[in-house]
Amino acid sequence: MGSISPTPTYKVEKIDRSDFQGIIDAIAKNGCCIVKNFTDAATVDMVNEESRPYLDADVPWEGDLFPPETRRCANLAGRSKTVREKWLVDPLVRACTAAFVDKTTVNYYGQTKHTYTSEAQCTIAVTLEIGPGGKAQRLHRDDKNYHVDHPDQTETGYRFGTDVEMAFMVPGVLTTKENGATLAIPGSHLWPSDREPPLIEEESIAYAEMDVGDCWIMLGGLYHAGGANNTTNVKRTVHGLFFVRGYLRQEENIYLANSPEQVLSWAPEAQKVLGYNVSSPNIGFVEFVPPMDYLAGVRPADGVLKDFDPSQEKKT
């Protein structure tokens, strides 16, 4: 009789940034890992300082995307010189996105063979700060925005090329289960799209508890959520860089070719088909405001941001 292979054990591995192959192997197996010594405390302090004014100026969210206690610093790479010059172009970040996100294909022009590689680009850079009392998000996959159909890889193991997105999240403070550390299900990146995640209380949940200087890396297909902040006086601050395949955008960068005044004069149907809208559920906003509202200078009258797609209601 043939031997029965043991069921794989998935977990959050902690690996030093010097062990690149170990990082790649851990992400492929578990869908995530914590990188030790990704950065240093002085650099984190600089990013904390650069993002703080925008976090303090942010307004509550009304809806399902974020708990109302969460604050955001959008456009982090534009607002933080340190993020832009240190983390965004970090060689380890680039090596990881090359391994998991880049896409290479072969095509022909007549009888001439061409090989093209679409390199990963940053789809959003944002600081997320969960205040005391903030509830946990629902478990979700970040690549829902890109409508990825995940195959079942629970028997075959991970196949490179099946993910289009990955995230790098650097804590601004010590992150713990108590103050809202990201929670995740290691191994869930292997699940097919029609598999429902369990309740957060299940034993399969792991927490990305990190020291300052660490970095949480996860694939877009991993089920995860922002944790609940059960403290009374600690804000959980995390700086996130999210990367996606470079071709997941329009061929012509029409946004730079037309002035806001021109765009505002167009018919709504033209604005929409040219990309000046939000693709359900959450692609295309500007500082968490719908693009046409942003161009027109319209902001929430009640000082509250809301979900872009009203179909994201909770189960009844």
Side-chain angles (χ1 to χ4, degrees):
M1 294 179 65
S3 60
I4 299 175
S5 299
T7 302
T9 300
Y10 303 107
K11 61 182 180 180
V12 176
E13 298 184 46
K14 296 185 177 183
I15 306 172
D16 191 83
R17 74 166 288 152
S18 62
D19 184 5
F20 173 67
Q21 191 57 51
I23 292 169
I24 296 298
D25 292 343
I27 295 171
K29 177 183 178 182
N30 303 299
C32 59
C33 78
I34 291 174
V35 175
K36 304 295 293 184
N37 300 307
F38 173 77
T39 188
D40 57 78
T43 301
V44 173
D45 286 344
M46 285 296 298
V47 179
N48 287 345
E49 181 180 338
E50 290 165 340
S51 60
R52 174 51 52 193
Y54 304 99
L55 293 170
D56 290 344
D58 197 25
V59 297
W61 192 278
E62 181 182 286
D64 195 40
L65 192 57
F66 300 107
E69 294 83 2
T70 295
R71 296 295 181 269
R72 297 146 293 272
C73 170
N75 186 24
L76 180 62
R79 289 169 165 169
S80 169
K81 178 181 179 182
T82 308
V83 167
R84 194 168 59 250
E85 296 184 354
K86 297 284 189 180
W87 300 342
L88 189 68
V89 295
D90 187 293
L92 176 62
V93 172
R94 177 65 196 115
C96 287
T97 58
F100 288 98
V101 181
D102 287 10
K103 178 71 172 179
T104 299
T105 54
V106 173
N107 287 277
Y108 282 86
Y109 275 124
Q111 283 68 53
T112 305
K113 183 178 180 180
H114 293 261
T115 301
Y116 305 104
T117 297
S118 178
E119 295 188 359
Q121 63 175 352
C122 184
T123 183
I124 182 173
V126 60
T127 299
L128 299 171
E129 185 171 81
I130 303 174
K135 304 300 182 184
Q137 291 179 306
R138 288 187 291 169
L139 287 164
H140 62 280
R141 283 169 154 162
D142 279 345
D143 62 12
K144 67 184 184 300
N145 290 330
Y146 297 101
H147 298 262
V148 177
D149 290 319
H150 283 277
D152 187 346
Q153 302 177 82
T154 53
E155 297 295 330
T156 63
Y158 184 70
R159 299 202 307 271
F160 283 84
T162 52
D163 276 272
V164 303
E165 183 178 10
M166 71 188 310
F168 301 78
M169 304 184 73
V170 182
V173 297
L174 177 72
T175 62
T176 66
K177 179 180 178 180
E178 184 70 13
N179 71 13
T182 297
L183 53 91
I185 306 178
S188 61
H189 66 307
L190 305 174
W191 295 358
S193 295
D194 60 357
R195 179 170 171 176
E196 182 177 342
L199 297 174
I200 287 178
E201 292 77 12
E202 297 290 330
E203 293 181 358
S204 57
I205 298 295
Y207 290 83
E209 296 187 301
M210 292 185 283
D211 298 316
V212 172
D214 293 349
C215 179
W216 166 256
I217 304 179
M218 66 178 173
L219 295 173
L222 184 79
Y223 273 105
H224 71 286
N229 188 335
N230 294 314
T231 71
T232 58
N233 59 356
V234 177
K235 295 179 179 179
R236 191 229 65 175
T237 309
V238 171
H239 309 291
L241 298 173
F242 299 77
F243 292 82
V244 73
R245 286 185 176 169
Y247 62 77
L248 292 175
R249 52 177 166 167
Q250 289 159 293
E251 183 172 350
E252 181 182 13
N253 195 329
I254 196 168
Y255 312 116
L256 295 181
N258 299 279
S259 69
E261 293 75 20
Q262 288 174 299
V263 177
L264 287 167
S265 72
W266 299 345
E269 295 80 6
Q271 294 167 346
K272 179 179 180 180
V273 77
L274 287 169
Y276 290 87
N277 66 328
V278 175
S279 172
S280 179
N282 305 310
I283 291 293
F285 59 79
V286 188
E287 296 182 13
F288 293 96
V289 175
M292 290 311 302
D293 287 352
Y294 186 88
L295 285 181
V298 176
R299 300 297 183 269
D302 54 3
V304 175
L305 295 168
K306 299 182 180 180
D307 289 348
F308 304 109
D309 186 339
S311 69
Q312 296 184 82
E313 73 280 357
K314 296 181 180 179
K315 284 186 176 180
T316 56

